[in-house]
Amino acid sequence: MHHHHGYTWLGSGHELSKDGPRRPIHPDFTSSKVVPLEVAHWLLKPPSFIQGTWTDPTDAVDWFESQAHAHGAVTGAAARAVGAVEAGEDVVGGWYLTGRRFLSVCLVACGPHRMRPEIPCPQRLT
């Protein structure tokens, strides 16, 4: 079943600049909550990192927008995002916030992922 998983990360820009833990080959990858370098690699993280799962594109984008707005980020791309989710694409947002913080909000396509079909669903939805 085609669906999207939601992931968020809020942390320092300093953590974001360390790309080692953001790569699956790094020993700390699965325990690190920092956003991966490749969006599909969120699917390799533990299922507990998933903030939500949606089959309805509008519901998925509503969540995406609410996460961004909760931290003061403005997207203004809801219509395009719904189209992307309907097409089975990822939707990715990243914003630098005050205090050198970075917010990442991602809707990652699954069932299977278009670019990484070899990565299984972390929740194995049926």
Side-chain angles (χ1 to χ4, degrees):
M1 173 193 314
H2 180 74
H3 55 279
H4 280 73
H5 297 296
Y7 297 89
T8 60
W9 179 76
L10 177 64
S12 75
H14 178 71
E15 287 179 83
L16 194 63
S17 69
K18 297 178 185 177
D19 68 338
R22 298 176 65 199
R23 297 176 186 274
I25 61 170
H26 194 277
D28 294 332
F29 176 79
T30 55
S31 63
S32 173
K33 293 192 177 199
V34 70
V35 61
L37 286 175
E38 185 176 325
V39 176
H41 288 163
W42 271 119
L43 301 174
L44 298 172
K45 300 275 190 175
S48 61
F49 285 27
I50 297 170
Q51 302 286 311
T53 300
W54 301 270
T55 55
D56 180 75
T58 302
D59 291 344
V61 172
D62 286 347
W63 173 86
F64 181 92
E65 293 280 319
S66 72
Q67 295 301 302
H69 290 289
H71 296 282
V74 178
T75 66
R80 285 180 292 170
V82 169
V85 171
E86 287 173 342
E89 298 172 2
D90 301 325
V91 177
V92 178
W95 302 269
Y96 278 98
L97 307 173
T98 59
R100 298 183 184 171
R101 296 174 304 144
F102 187 84
L103 172 66
S104 172
V105 181
C106 299
L107 288 170
V108 183
C110 191
H113 190 273
R114 290 172 57 166
M115 303 302 289
R116 295 289 188 185
E118 72 277 8
I119 299 176
C121 176
Q123 289 185 326
R124 294 191 176 109
L125 291 177
T126 58

